[in-house]
Amino acid sequence: MSDKSGMQNYNRTRVLTLIGTIMTQLALGSVYTWSLFNGQLSEKLGEPVSRVALTFGILSLCLALASSVAGKLQERFGVRTVTIAAGLLMAAGFALTAHSDNVLMLYISAGVLVGLADGAGYLLTLTNCVKWFPERKGLISACSIGAYGLGSLLFKFVCGHLLATEGLQNTFMIWGGIAMVMVIAGAMMMKDAPKQETADVTREENSLNDNTNDTRDFTLAEAIRAPQYWMLALMFLTACMSGLYVIGVAKDIGQSLVRLDALTAANAVTVIAIANLSGRLVLGVLSDKIQRIRVISIAQIVSLAGMSVMLFTQMNEMMFFLSVACVAFSFGGTITVYPSLVSDFFGLNNMTKNYGLLYLGFGIGSIFASLVASLFGGFAVTFSIITVLLIVSLVLSATIRLPNKSEAGHSTLQHV
């Protein structure tokens, strides 16, 4: 009877954690509505839109930086405390944004503070929730990261309505309040996942063919000595570089390369949102059915198809929307599958730390693509570099092997 009661409590706790994580991710995903505010902030501050838009780049970088230390924060304070702090910091950042009267203050409030809050809450709650469901890692990643993507869609309407009825300053205050309440309410439902039992991998049968196998447990120090870690890092950076760049300039691609009018080109935002969310759900669920590294290969092929259309064809309207949808689908699926993929290679117990460092590729990839585009001008060079990196990444995903923990640091590979 006690075993049955204990299992019921365990299942209740992890379901509540999942619900709380989804609620939190919905609120954190709201930052992807930022483009709605560029025009009005530009007018208020008397700055060009390009300088105001840089705020989101700073936010993305700080998000990635905060994600990289989320594991240490959880170890010291626990998932609930850190998530509550993230909600409070996010509200404070938006409150300061509402009263920003110069672009530097905007960078600090919306870029740094909101970015740090979002990053700490995002990766921490995601990986903690995945640890509660080791038998359904792909599905849980899809639910959590899908909620993050859905949050951008929901808050697009919420923030759009608030801007029309309440004005810029009040919108930031209300937005921050709503996000804070959702994050804190979600945090109160969460508990830290129990430590997983591990054992060294010594047999070829313990391979990526079994997506529920969690017999490896690398510390971050051990993981970074394995060449596979940096192979995964390059693949992740490439996916983020292609996805974030195309998502950020999709409207401009439509107007410049396809000669679409502004209103039609803006429909790319909706196409991307739907494709991004679809990639998270479809590839996330698929990753529980087949090897996760093979799901990444599928995502790379889809992204390559989209980039090839942009680079080598004279796009019409339909091909334009199809190509950006391919890239967005691939990006959404990749960032959904990657936390569980990292745990396949390096274990569940240190997943937050091991994935956190690798997640820096999110910020680096977004900035690197923008730098390439600004240095060389136009889209052709950036598309070419991304295409080459995607080909390299596809080769890596097809040839990568599990690391052997007992000989980590000695470049010994285990066949998949």
Side-chain angles (χ1 to χ4, degrees):
M1 180 64 71
S2 61
D3 287 345
K4 182 178 180 181
S5 177
M7 182 56 68
Q8 288 176 339
N9 287 334
Y10 175 83
N11 285 329
R12 178 177 179 274
T13 299
R14 69 178 191 165
V15 168
L16 284 175
T17 297
L18 173 60
I19 295 171
T21 300
I22 289 173
M23 187 183 302
T24 298
Q25 294 283 346
L26 282 169
L28 296 177
S30 66
V31 298
Y32 281 84
T33 62
W34 183 258
S35 61
L36 294 175
F37 300 90
N38 286 334
Q40 291 194 31
L41 283 169
S42 175
E43 292 179 12
K44 176 187 175 182
L45 302 178
E47 297 283 354
V49 171
S50 59
R51 292 194 68 188
V52 172
L54 180 59
T55 307
F56 189 73
I58 297 171
L59 187 154
S60 298
L61 181 59
C62 289
L63 189 159
L65 290 172
S67 297
S68 69
V69 300
K72 290 187 179 295
L73 292 174
Q74 182 180 12
E75 278 186 357
R76 183 163 184 179
F77 302 106
V79 65
R80 180 178 294 174
T81 300
V82 177
T83 305
I84 290 173
L88 293 172
L89 181 60
M90 193 171 186
F94 281 130
L96 289 172
T97 301
H99 296 91
S100 295
D101 56 8
N102 60 74
V103 74
L104 179 59
M105 187 173 177
L106 180 67
Y107 291 162
I108 294 171
S109 58
V112 177
L113 296 184
V114 175
L116 291 175
D118 206 87
Y122 165 73
L123 188 61
L124 181 70
T125 56
L126 164 64
T127 54
N128 180 71
C129 192
V130 170
K131 291 176 189 176
W132 273 109
F133 295 86
E135 78 284 5
R136 288 289 181 269
K137 292 187 291 187
L139 177 62
I140 298 305
S141 289
C143 289
S144 181
I145 299 179
Y148 191 83
L150 185 60
S152 65
L153 279 178
L154 293 178
F155 274 85
K156 176 183 177 183
F157 298 104
V158 172
C159 292
H161 174 73
L162 289 173
L163 277 173
T165 58
E166 300 293 335
L168 185 64
Q169 182 170 313
N170 287 341
T171 296
F172 280 121
M173 297 296 294
I174 297 170
W175 179 13
I178 294 172
M180 179 184 70
V181 170
M182 290 178 67
V183 170
I184 292 177
M188 297 305 295
M189 302 171 73
M190 299 177 200
K191 284 192 176 180
D192 289 280
K195 189 175 179 65
Q196 302 292 317
E197 294 183 5
T198 60
D200 286 344
V201 174
T202 56
R203 295 174 58 85
E204 185 172 344
E205 288 79 8
N206 287 335
S207 72
L208 295 182
N209 287 322
D210 180 5
N211 275 342
T212 65
N213 173 38
D214 295 303
T215 55
R216 53 190 61 246
D217 188 20
F218 287 67
T219 65
L220 178 59
E222 291 172 332
I224 62 176
R225 288 199 296 269
Q228 292 91 332
Y229 189 85
W230 302 107
M231 294 164 74
L232 291 176
L234 178 60
M235 287 187 276
F236 185 74
L237 183 147
T238 301
C240 291
M241 181 178 176
S242 58
L244 292 170
Y245 178 70
V246 171
I247 289 171
V249 299
K251 180 181 176 183
D252 304 300
I253 294 171
Q255 289 182 276
S256 300
L257 299 185
V258 194
R259 301 288 186 249
L260 300 177
D261 60 79
L263 190 61
T264 304
N267 289 331
V269 175
T270 304
V271 171
I272 284 171
I274 294 171
N276 195 344
L277 183 59
S278 299
R280 294 168 192 242
L281 298 176
V282 172
L283 295 186
V285 172
L286 184 62
S287 72
D288 280 332
K289 309 295 184 183
I290 65 174
Q291 294 179 22
R292 291 190 179 91
I293 193 64
R294 300 298 163 242
V295 177
I296 296 299
S297 297
I298 293 171
Q300 290 164 342
I301 292 170
V302 172
S303 187
L304 259 176
M307 294 304 304
S308 296
V309 169
M310 294 184 200
L311 189 59
F312 299 116
T313 70
Q314 293 290 330
M315 289 184 290
N316 55 30
E317 182 177 334
M318 185 186 72
M319 293 302 292
F320 163 66
F321 287 129
L322 179 62
S323 63
V324 296
C326 285
V327 175
F329 180 91
S330 171
F331 171 67
T334 297
I335 63 173
T336 299
V337 174
Y338 242 76
S340 300
L341 179 68
V342 171
S343 75
D344 288 339
F345 275 78
F346 303 108
L348 268 176
N349 287 321
N350 296 305
M351 181 173 67
T352 308
K353 290 181 181 178
N354 292 337
Y355 181 53
L357 178 61
L358 189 148
Y359 195 76
L360 286 173
F362 183 92
I364 296 170
S366 65
I367 290 176
F368 182 65
S370 298
L371 286 176
V372 170
S374 63
L375 285 174
F376 294 99
F379 301 110
V381 174
T382 312
F383 289 167
S384 299
I385 292 175
I386 290 173
T387 300
V388 170
L389 286 174
L390 280 169
I391 293 171
V392 172
S393 294
L394 182 58
V395 172
L396 291 179
S397 70
T399 57
I400 193 170
R401 302 291 182 261
L402 286 173
N404 189 328
K405 185 181 189 305
S406 62
E407 300 184 28
H410 294 82
S411 300
T412 297
L413 306 185
Q414 181 178 343
H415 192 276
V416 174

